[in-house]
Structure formats: structure tokens, C-alpha cells
Amino acid sequence: EDGAGASMAEGMVRVVRRLWRCLAEPARQAETRVAEGVMAKLSAPERTRVELGEEAFDPDEEDGYTPDPIEIGRALAVARLGCLPERIGLGLQLMIGTVQRRRAVTGASRWRFRTYDEAAGEQAWYVPPYFRKSGTKRGNRSHLVPVVGFAAGAAARLDKLSDFEGSEGWLFPAGKASRSGRGHAESGLFNDWLAAIPGVEFSPHGARYAFATYGERDLAFTQGEGKLILDHLEGVELKDVTGTFYSSDPGIARKRAMMKAWTEWCDHWTAKAVAEDRSLLNAEVMGKTIRAERYKFKKKKKAA
């Protein structure tokens, strides 16, 4: 079985499990007659080999699920609460706040972020071309993403966490038990944590669907304009962009405005989620709930 086929099978398993979990919810059982845990043992075929460059295909991108705004708010509320490991909480904020692919986030290097005096409180993230969906077809230049609001705060705190000898600058360094040979964490770092948050059903890629969908609905993005942030259409080098250019170039200015609108929208829904569910302010209760859910995930994986 080739790498892309294996990844697609694993992605389909996640989608099917989510569907059956939804059908088995108590409020729907009378209508669907689906018992809880029906698909708990569903698993993709075991991989026979790993192809070079296999990560160019990300099964999360085939999910297609756009989360409700309140789900985005719940995820961010928990990420900020302090009940998750520090890097996980900050990583979820960076991922949602920049809407970049999960591989780009887990593979982020502190050396790819720049600050400019002309744009106080922001950072410019130069995402390397090998994190593009079709990196080999898009040249060898980077994609510039303005990092603003809570995402900029998360990036700054992650930078401090990576400031130790031997970190090599990775914001999410690989664990000691990693067999990948990479210095950074694997792409699925956030999946199980995100799935364990109560009331959150989206995968890491769901934030990208939300950005495209609600950007047009709520934030005055023109049709397809989200691609400026999502699709890595342009190519720049770190040395190409000065602070003056970053603060005055019309193309970058539009990106900055879009990301400011997006992070403020996220903050609004975070506040709304907390107002509707005060348990999102209780780190002890939320932490226990998430740990219990992750324990169930691990048991299901072993049983599958």
C-alpha cells in the first residue's frame, strides 16, 4: 500500500468515526437507532511502507468539515485556560490564529518569524515552500503570513520556550522517543488534544475551512480572497521584505487586515463560548475531562 493511499484510508476512518459518533449522540439515538461505540474498532489497513515525501498529502485536508463558530471559540477558550501542556495550548492558538496547515505549525522554526518596528505587536511568518500542499510545484520561495492578535502572543511565548541549547530553534521540538529523524514534532501533534476538548468536533484543518467560510460571510472577504492566506500563492524571501515595505505594500496590508479581522472574530466567539459555558473557565474540571477523553482514545486505539 502506497503512502498516499494509506493516508487517505486513515483520513476516511476519522470522518466515518465522527459521523457515527454524531449519530450515536443521546439526542439522536431514538431516530437513528445507532448505539454508542459502534465504530470504535474501525481502523485503516496497516501501512506496509512509508513513501518519501508522503507528508505532501494530508488526510485532514480531505475531511471537509467546517466547524460552527462556537466550536472555534471553545477550542481557543480551552487553549488559553492553562489546562493543556503549555506548548499544546500555545500551538492551538498559533494554528487557529494563522490558519496554516498543521504540518507548517508543528514544523515552525523561530528563525522564520520576523518583527518590524513599523508593525508593533505583530510578527511576519515566512512559511517555507516545503510546507505548501504542492511545494515542489510552487517554487522555492516562502509564503508570508501576518501573525497578529492572540496568535502573535502565542508565537512570542513559543519563541521563549525554544530558547535553550539544543532546541535548534523548533517551536515544537521532537520528543526524545521520536523515530522520524526530524528535529520537530510530527504533524498529528494537535489532533488528539483537539478532539478531546468537549464540544469540539473539528480536526486541525477545520480552522482553514472556517476562515474561508466565515471570512466571506462575516468579515467582508471577497469570494475566494481567503486564498491569499490559505493557498501560498506568492513567493518571498526574508531579505526581500523590509519594515517599511511590510507596513506599506498594498498586498501585505490586505493580508494584515484580514488576519486582524479573523483574530478579532475568534476572540468574539471565544467570549461567547465562555459566556454560554462557564466550565470553560475551570481549568481543573476541563483538564480532568480532557485527560479522561484522551485515555478513552488511547484504549480504543489499542483495541482497534
Side-chain angles (χ1 to χ4, degrees):
E1 182 179 353
D2 64 28
S7 293
M8 182 174 289
E10 290 162 1
M12 287 299 297
V13 165
R14 281 196 292 274
V15 174
V16 170
R17 280 179 174 170
R18 181 179 293 125
L19 171 63
W20 283 82
R21 187 166 65 238
C22 178
L23 294 174
E25 290 180 355
R28 296 187 175 91
Q29 281 186 345
E31 182 181 349
T32 64
R33 299 176 185 270
V34 175
E36 185 177 357
V38 168
M39 290 291 174
K41 294 187 177 181
L42 179 67
S43 62
E46 193 170 330
R47 297 183 180 219
T48 56
R49 68 176 187 269
V50 176
E51 296 291 335
L52 183 65
E54 180 180 330
E55 282 193 287
F57 176 86
D58 190 339
D60 268 5
E61 297 191 27
E62 307 304 312
D63 189 337
Y65 175 69
T66 300
D68 289 335
I70 202 71
E71 290 185 68
I72 299 287
R74 291 184 67 87
L76 281 171
V78 171
R80 298 171 182 179
L81 186 58
C83 62
L84 302 176
E86 188 173 14
R87 270 200 174 88
I88 298 298
L90 294 172
L92 289 175
Q93 293 179 66
L94 181 64
M95 184 173 65
I96 293 172
T98 62
V99 292
Q100 295 308 291
R101 292 183 172 90
R102 61 178 188 166
R103 293 191 302 112
V105 176
T106 57
S109 167
R110 67 187 306 195
W111 311 120
R112 307 295 300 188
F113 291 78
R114 291 285 187 273
T115 58
Y116 299 109
D117 292 339
E118 293 85 348
E122 297 183 22
Q123 297 194 47
W125 182 11
Y126 294 81
V127 182
Y130 47 81
F131 286 127
R132 298 175 182 179
K133 188 173 184 180
S134 303
T136 58
K137 298 178 181 179
R138 297 283 180 90
N140 58 5
R141 306 182 82 196
S142 301
H143 170 52
L144 192 154
V145 179
V147 184
V148 307
F150 64 85
R157 289 171 62 188
L158 284 163
D159 180 77
K160 291 182 179 179
L161 290 178
S162 67
D163 190 16
F164 63 91
E165 187 176 353
S167 73
E168 299 180 350
W170 302 114
L171 299 190
F172 304 95
K176 294 180 180 179
S178 175
R179 299 178 182 177
S180 67
R182 301 184 190 91
H184 60 79
E186 52 92 20
S187 62
L189 177 66
F190 304 112
N191 286 65
D192 287 351
W193 289 103
L194 193 59
I197 298 174
V200 172
E201 295 290 335
F202 65 95
S203 70
H205 203 74
R208 291 168 61 80
Y209 289 119
F211 180 80
T213 300
Y214 303 123
E216 293 183 14
R217 190 192 76 176
D218 299 340
L219 305 176
F221 294 1
T222 60
Q223 186 174 7
E225 192 177 24
K227 291 180 179 179
L228 288 173
I229 302 297
L230 299 175
D231 280 3
H232 302 203
L233 298 177
E234 96 288 39
V236 297
E237 295 292 352
L238 278 74
K239 64 179 181 293
D240 290 345
V241 182
T242 64
T244 302
F245 186 71
Y246 181 83
S247 63
S248 64
D249 175 75
I252 297 176
R254 181 54 187 152
K255 283 188 175 187
R256 293 172 66 200
M258 291 171 72
M259 298 312 288
K260 184 175 186 293
W262 167 250
T263 52
E264 289 177 352
W265 182 93
C266 289
D267 284 335
H268 165 78
W269 282 101
T270 302
K272 194 172 181 64
V274 171
E276 291 184 3
D277 183 358
R278 306 302 287 182
S279 71
L280 293 172
L281 295 176
N282 192 321
E284 183 179 358
V285 169
M286 197 56 60
K288 286 181 179 178
T289 302
I290 290 170
R291 286 192 295 273
E293 194 66 21
R294 279 177 54 79
Y295 177 71
K296 286 199 301 185
F297 288 160
K298 289 178 180 178
K299 285 187 67 176
K300 287 180 180 178
K301 284 182 178 180
K302 287 181 180 180

